[in-house]
Amino acid sequence: MTRILYVEDNEDNVYMLTQRLTRHGFSVSIASDGDQGIDMARREKPDLILMDLGLPSLDGWAAARQLKQMPETKDVPILALSAHTMPGDREKALNAGCDDYDAKPIDFERLLGKIDALVRKRGAP
């Protein structure tokens, strides 16, 4: 079973996406901010991280940079999820260490395709 860490502070988004991912056979853990996401990623070693970029305290860009610098998490793919859809936001996320980017509102089928591609590339179950 593919293990996903979803770092998101909006409870409605967490509920909706967690329910849909779980129904598709993923195991989902939730972190509500960047600091908690880093701690959980180090402890749980997920197969993939879904990272909201607009987080309280430590934002998703900073969290992604830190995760990619740590030996125990540097190889975990990070898929940025953001309502930031201005020109350059995708590049900013990729420059922060995210492996891919998807805009909110989520197109679930497109998201599943991106998750599958990242997990397969890493060789996770």
Side-chain angles (χ1 to χ4, degrees), residues 66-117:
Q66 287 187 34
L67 287 164
K68 290 300 183 174
Q69 292 173 358
M70 296 177 185
E72 62 268 42
T73 57
K74 68 182 173 99
D75 295 326
V76 177
I78 300 172
L79 176 53
L81 299 177
S82 183
H84 297 273
T85 57
M86 299 297 292
D89 285 336
R90 181 180 193 282
E91 290 73 23
K92 184 178 175 184
L94 297 176
N95 288 335
C98 296
D99 297 276
D100 202 349
Y101 173 92
D102 203 15
K104 294 177 183 176
I106 300 296
D107 174 322
F108 191 67
E109 292 305 316
R110 182 180 63 219
L111 180 66
L112 285 177
K114 290 182 178 211
I115 290 171
D116 184 54

Side-chain angles (χ1 to χ4, degrees), residues 4 6 12-28 50 105-112 115:
I4 294 175
Y6 183 24
D12 292 334
N13 291 345
V14 168
Y15 177 78
M16 181 276 305
L17 194 54
T18 300
Q19 293 298 313
R20 294 186 80 182
L21 290 169
T22 301
R23 279 195 302 262
H24 276 79
F26 297 100
S27 169
V28 182
L50 295 176
I106 300 296
D107 174 322
F108 191 67
E109 292 305 316
R110 182 180 63 219
L111 180 66
L112 285 177
I115 290 171

